[in-house]
Amino acid sequence: MDKISIGVDDLINQEEKIKELEYELFLLKHAFFKFHDSMAPNLKSRYYELLSHGFTEQEVSELDRFFRWVYGTKNYPTKEEMRKKMADIKNMEMEELHIASVKKILLAYQADGVFPVIDINLEDFQNVDVNTEK
C-alpha cells in the first residue's frame, strides 16, 4: 500500500508543478508580448511574431523550408500565394489569416536577416497596413 500511495502523491506533486510551470510560462509570454510591443519594428524578431501567431515548432520548420525553397528556386510568391501558404501551414482557411499578419511575419523574418528572399516578397506588400490586424 505504501508504494501505491507514494506513487499517487508523486503524481499529484508532478501535476501541481506542471500547472505552476504552465502559469509561469503564461505570465512570461504575456510580459514578453507587452515589452516587445514597445520595441522599434526593426528590433522585433521572427520568434515573437511566430509565437504571437501560434506557430508550432513543426509549422516554423515548414515555413523555413518553404523560404529556403523560394530562395533556391527564385520562384517568388505573390502576397496572396504567401498568405495561402502560411494558412496551409497553419491548417486554416486563407480568410482566417489576415494579410497584415502575413506582412508582420515577413517583416520579422526580414529584421532577423534570415532569408534574403524576404525583401523581394515584401515588395508586393507595400500597401498593406500592419496595424489593421494582429
Side-chain angles (χ1 to χ4, degrees):
M1 278 296 214
D2 285 337
K3 283 186 175 183
I4 293 173
S5 64
I6 291 172
V8 172
D9 288 342
D10 288 342
L11 185 59
I12 291 171
N13 286 339
Q14 287 178 347
E15 287 177 6
E16 288 174 3
K17 287 180 182 178
I18 289 171
K19 286 181 182 179
E20 287 176 27
L21 289 172
E22 286 174 343
Y23 187 69
E24 285 180 26
L25 180 60
F26 170 81
L27 292 174
L28 286 169
K29 184 176 165 183
H30 288 283
F32 174 73
F33 285 156
K34 192 73 168 166
F35 172 71
H36 205 275
D37 286 343
S38 66
M39 294 176 73
N42 63 330
L43 297 177
K44 294 188 177 188
S45 73
R46 67 186 168 133
Y47 303 111
Y48 168 81
E49 287 300 334
L50 293 170
L51 180 64
S52 70
H53 288 88
F55 277 77
T56 65
E57 179 183 2
Q58 181 179 353
E59 291 167 345
V60 171
S61 293
E62 192 173 338
L63 186 59
D64 287 351
R65 274 193 306 278
F66 175 70
F67 284 136
R68 281 192 297 275
W69 176 83
V70 169
Y71 182 68
T73 63
K74 307 292 189 235
N75 186 8
Y76 305 111
T78 66
K79 68 181 173 187
E80 287 304 315
E81 291 169 337
M82 189 75 241
R83 182 180 178 196
K84 176 155 180 27
K85 182 62 178 179
M86 284 190 191
D88 288 347
I89 289 171
K90 292 288 300 161
N91 196 26
M92 59 194 316
E93 295 296 320
M94 195 167 96
E95 295 76 27
E96 295 177 77
L97 182 62
H98 197 279
I99 195 70
S101 296
V102 174
K103 184 175 182 178
K104 283 181 176 183
I105 292 167
L106 291 174
L107 285 169
Y109 267 87
Q110 181 187 46
D112 278 359
V114 180
F115 297 104
V117 69
I118 302 300
D119 293 333
I120 295 164
N121 285 344
L122 282 170
E123 290 175 7
D124 200 24
F125 286 82
Q126 289 178 359
N127 62 349
V128 176
D129 181 8
V130 295
N131 297 315
T132 58
E133 182 80 8
K134 179 183 172 194

